[in-house]
Amino acid sequence: MTEKYENFLDFVFYQIYPRSFKDSNNDGMGDLRGITEKIPYLLELGVNAVWLSPHYKSPGKDGGYDISDYRAVQEEFGTLEDFREMLDAMHANGIKLIVDFVPNHTSTEHYWFQEARKSKDNPYRDFYIWADKPLNDWVACCESAWKYDDVAGQYYLHCFDPTQADLNWENPRVREEMKNVLDFWIDLGVDGFRCDVIDMISKDWENNRMNKGPHLHEYIRELFGREKCKNIFTVGECWGANVENIRNLTGENRGELTTVFQFEHINRNCRSRFEPKNFSLSEFREVFAKWQKITQENDLIYTLFIENHDQGRCVSRFADDGALRYESATMFATMLYCMRGIPFIYQGQEIGVTNSYFDKIEDFDDMETTSFYRAYKDVLDKDDLWNLINFGTRDNARHPMPWNGETAGGFNEGAKTWLPLYPEYRKINVEADKQSEISVFRYFKSLLGLRRQSEALRRGIFEDITGEAKTHFLYRREYDGEEIVVLCNFEKETEISLPEGCVRLLGNYPEHENNVFAPYEAAIYKKLKR
Ligand code: TEU
Ligand code: CA
């Protein structure tokens, strides 16, 4: 791995969902000035990079992933000047910024789509995918992915919400426009891009698949293989990526992406978003150990994440968000952020925010949730309906950030928020957590501090030394003679023998002599040289 790539391993990302982070002008919607205001908080936590979810002009049907102008800042979030100020303040504090790049689709309110639907020979018609009848049985948001447009007199493809029309990347003008969009933000000084469902920009029509089509690598190289992008960091959201895909997408000399988010570990507890299934925490060990081995052997960069704006809160999904919430949140952080790769922390994860429960559809905004509700409200029994909705809704990740137990949890001065406040904000909030004897925030801060000081944690080889046990995850990292051993116990008390010469550096329970570990106990050890 070249030095450039090695340096990326020093990044620690914090993902911000701008609608829900901090509302600086008390209009109920988070904004860019609110983010600038909280830079000291990010520094205190110990992150050195931010992934900003979409801040662009958007009707907001899909939380900003339905963009109507790629170069304009959504009014509610502020102005381009506010963006520049935020970026400059981050850079002045040694924090990198990557923004969201949404290439697969635009809002149907985008100028391109408004033009395209006017007539078949409109110069923008071929920017989208039209047909006289649905070309296949693809489904999006519980309905056909093909929607008839009265004005256009044809069907157009939307792999997500009907207000998100898929772009036709086979049209070179579309690729040109998208390169110009990237260059606009690169010229403004951003350090990179998180690329939304980027493996869908080439459809595999032949195999009836929405993604990974024959031109995928060619298109991605056309975007990011340019001189302009040589020092840009890119992370692609690739739900369907297998090992071969990831080697091709992120191999250092491929001129494509720096790394990807792959999701094999995410859906452990569900068959689909609103379809729970049983799982065991040892599945995480199996999946993580597999991908650590693959990325290490192929000299690739892996991304370490368990929450984002599309996923429920990990303590509620996979562990105990009640009596052992602190232990659960810190165990997952230890398991993830001591592995080989780049950490991504989602806002609120650093204080162990939990899932919520609501039983009125007006209290939800997530378009995947509202379409599920529409499809099943007369089919499912009321309790089942709301249990499934609260199980899978993406709104679990999107309630306003609870900064304190005061008015509106400190998100603003009391103005009605775009989404209901996090119901537990009086009890679970940044201020209370930091003052608490057992603080998730303080544990995250110590963990990231340890990572910053340890070459082994940032650059070291990874080896799973758990053996056959399904009760815990034990692994070691080593670099240039420095050896670190990481222990993560799962839900039951377990006797675990550690390698000789381990000295504990950090743990989420008080240190103890014996080798009996409590539920969700995690600890990091330095292994003394013999
Ligand atoms: O997510 C794509 C995606 O993975 C999800 O839609 C996922 O398939 C679904 O949630 C599974 O139930 C990206 C963005 O992260 C998401 O917020 C957007 O809604 C979506 O793309 C469309 O832009
Ligand atoms: Ca605001």
Side-chain angles (χ1 to χ4, degrees), residues 471-472 489 492-497 515-517:
T471 50
H472 61 279
N489 187 34
K492 293 199 186 64
E493 185 176 271
T494 312
E495 193 165 337
I496 304 167
S497 50
N515 60 355
V516 178
F517 292 89

Side-chain angles (χ1 to χ4, degrees), residues 7-21:
N7 294 342
F8 286 143
L9 289 172
D10 298 340
F11 282 2
V12 176
F13 277 92
Y14 188 86
Q15 181 193 357
I16 292 178
Y17 195 69
R19 287 156 190 276
S20 307
F21 195 59

Side-chain angles (χ1 to χ4, degrees), residues 62 65 102 105 160 164 194 196-197 237 239 273 309-310 367-368 394 398:
D62 183 23
Y65 284 90
V102 185
H105 44 264
F160 295 92
Q164 292 166 300
R194 176 265 185 187
D196 190 63
V197 286
E237 183 198 26
W239 273 83
R273 181 163 294 286
H309 62 292
D310 289 333
M367 55 94 168
E368 289 193 10
R394 300 186 296 176
R398 301 175 179 188

Side-chain angles (χ1 to χ4, degrees), residues 126 168-177 179 222:
D126 203 20
N168 170 22
W169 273 74
E170 293 178 15
N171 177 345
R173 287 184 53 214
V174 167
R175 303 198 296 272
E176 216 43 53
E177 286 284 353
K179 283 184 267 182
E222 187 177 337

